[in-house]
Amino acid sequence: MMAMASRNALLKNLTLILSRKYTSRTQVISGTSVELPSCHGKSLEQSDYKRWDNGGGMFHNSACIDHTALIENGAIVHSNCTIAKDVQIGSGTVIGSSTSIGKSTTIGYNVVLSNCSVGQFCVIHHGVCIGQDGFGFFIDDKGQVAKKPQMLNVRIGDHVEIGANTCIDRGSWRDTVIGHFTKLDNLVQIGHNVQIGKCCIICGQSGIAGSATLGDYVTMGGRVAIKDHVLIASKVRLAANSCVTKNITVAGDYAGFPAMPAEEWRRQTVNMRLHFKKGRSL
C-alpha cells in the first residue's frame, strides 16, 4: 500500500515537471530556488543560451569566448560576440550582439556594451553605456521631429579607462573613436561621431557634442563643454567650466566661456573685477 502511494506521488511530480518544461525553469543553487531568465517562453538555457562555467553568466552559442574569461552570474553575452583571454565581466552586464572585447579587459557591474569594439587592457567601470544611438534628429516635411539613422559603431583603443556612468554614443556618419591610453572620468558624455586621440584626460561631468575631433594629449578639466563639429589641436589644456565654441588650432592653456587663451581670460577677469570695484567706489 505504501509502495503504491509513493509511486503515485512520483508520477504526480513527474507530470508537474513536464508541464513546466517550456514555461519556466528553476535551478537550485546552494539550497535556494532561482528562476532563470526567459526568452520567448523558454528559459535562456532551453533556447540558444548556455551558462558559462567560469562565473555562472549566460552566453549565446554563437559567441566566441576564451576559456579564461570570467562572466559573473547575472551577466549575459549575446550572439556573435568575441571575448578574448582573461576578460572579466561583472554581474548585471549586457554584452550586445557582435561586440568584441580585447584581452585582460575588466568590465564592472551593470555595464551595457553594444555596436562597439573594446581594446586590450581596458577598464570599464560600473554603469557605463557604450554604443547606444546618438542624439540626432531633424524636422521632416510634415513638421515632425524625425530620427536620423545611427548605424555605425564605437571603437575603444587599448589601455583606455572609462569612469562610472559615462556614456559613449555610436556613430552616424563615422565611427566614434577613443584613442589608446585615454582616460575618462565618471559622468562624461561623448556624442556620436566624436573622435578622441591618444593619451587624453577628460574629467568628470564634461560633455563633447557630436562630430567634435580632439587631438592627442588633450586635457579637459571638470564640466568642460565642447560644441559639435569643433576641432581641438593636440596638447590643448582646458580649464574647468570652459566652453569651446570654435576650433582651437594652437596648443596651450585655454579657459572661459567662450574658451580663450588662459592669459587673456585672466586679464579679462582682473579688469572686470577692477571695473566693478571702481564703480562701487563712485
Side-chain angles (χ1 to χ4, degrees):
M1 193 73 177
M2 292 180 62
M4 182 65 70
S6 298
R7 181 181 177 185
N8 290 338
L10 180 62
L11 289 174
K12 183 177 180 180
N13 289 335
L14 181 60
T15 302
L16 181 62
I17 292 171
L18 290 175
S19 67
R20 294 178 177 176
K21 182 176 180 182
Y22 294 105
T23 57
S24 178
R25 178 75 178 272
T26 301
Q27 183 173 5
V28 177
I29 302 175
S30 301
T32 303
S33 179
V34 177
E35 192 75 16
L36 296 177
S38 62
C39 180
H40 303 295
K42 299 181 181 181
S43 74
L44 291 181
E45 285 190 342
Q46 292 167 343
S47 62
D48 293 327
Y49 289 82
K50 295 181 180 179
R51 191 170 293 280
W52 186 251
D53 291 336
N54 187 14
M58 305 297 293
F59 72 99
H60 192 271
N61 287 334
S62 63
C64 180
I65 306 175
D66 189 273
H67 71 278
T68 60
L70 170 67
I71 305 174
E72 292 185 0
N73 190 31
I76 182 168
V77 177
H78 285 285
S79 59
N80 301 311
C81 290
T82 302
I83 311 296
K85 180 180 179 182
D86 296 326
V87 169
Q88 298 182 24
I89 300 174
S91 297
T93 289
V94 177
I95 309 298
S97 298
S98 303
T99 297
S100 65
I101 302 173
K103 71 177 182 180
S104 300
T105 287
T106 300
I107 300 172
Y109 304 136
N110 298 318
V111 173
V112 179
L113 303 182
S114 59
N115 310 301
C116 67
S117 62
V118 180
Q120 305 175 6
F121 304 102
C122 294
V123 178
I124 300 176
H125 291 281
H126 313 314
V128 169
C129 292
I130 300 175
Q132 63 280 349
D133 284 356
F135 192 74
F137 299 90
F138 67 98
I139 305 299
D140 64 13
D141 296 336
K142 299 179 181 179
Q144 298 176 342
V145 178
K147 186 179 181 67
K148 292 182 179 179
Q150 311 286 313
M151 302 297 292
L152 299 180
N153 301 310
V154 178
R155 291 187 281 122
I156 308 294
D158 299 336
H159 298 276
V160 172
E161 184 160 347
I162 301 173
N165 295 316
T166 286
C167 295
I168 304 175
D169 296 339
R170 69 190 299 195
S172 60
W173 62 273
R174 66 178 182 181
D175 286 345
T176 303
V177 177
I178 311 296
H180 301 315
F181 291 95
T182 286
K183 312 298 180 183
L184 308 181
D185 197 1
N186 302 335
L187 297 170
V188 173
Q189 166 64 30
I190 308 295
H192 56 186
N193 312 313
V194 169
Q195 296 197 343
I196 299 174
K198 67 180 181 180
C199 299
C200 295
I201 297 176
I202 301 176
C203 294
Q205 297 187 345
S206 293
I208 305 177
S211 303
T213 303
L214 278 64
D216 301 330
Y217 299 97
V218 172
T219 300
M220 295 169 52
R223 301 186 70 180
V224 169
I226 297 179
K227 181 181 177 293
D228 58 295
H229 296 272
V230 161
L231 173 65
I232 297 179
S234 296
K235 298 184 179 180
V236 166
R237 299 195 301 177
L238 298 166
N241 293 307
S242 301
C243 181
V244 179
T245 59
K246 60 182 180 180
N247 294 347
I248 297 177
T249 57
V250 179
D253 296 344
Y254 294 80
F257 182 5
M260 63 190 75
E263 286 298 324
E264 181 180 346
W265 173 77
R266 292 189 186 100
R267 285 195 298 269
Q268 288 188 8
T269 303
V270 171
N271 290 334
M272 187 178 298
R273 288 180 178 177
L274 291 175
H275 174 75
F276 282 118
K277 285 182 179 180
K278 183 177 180 181
R280 283 197 298 267
S281 66
L282 295 175

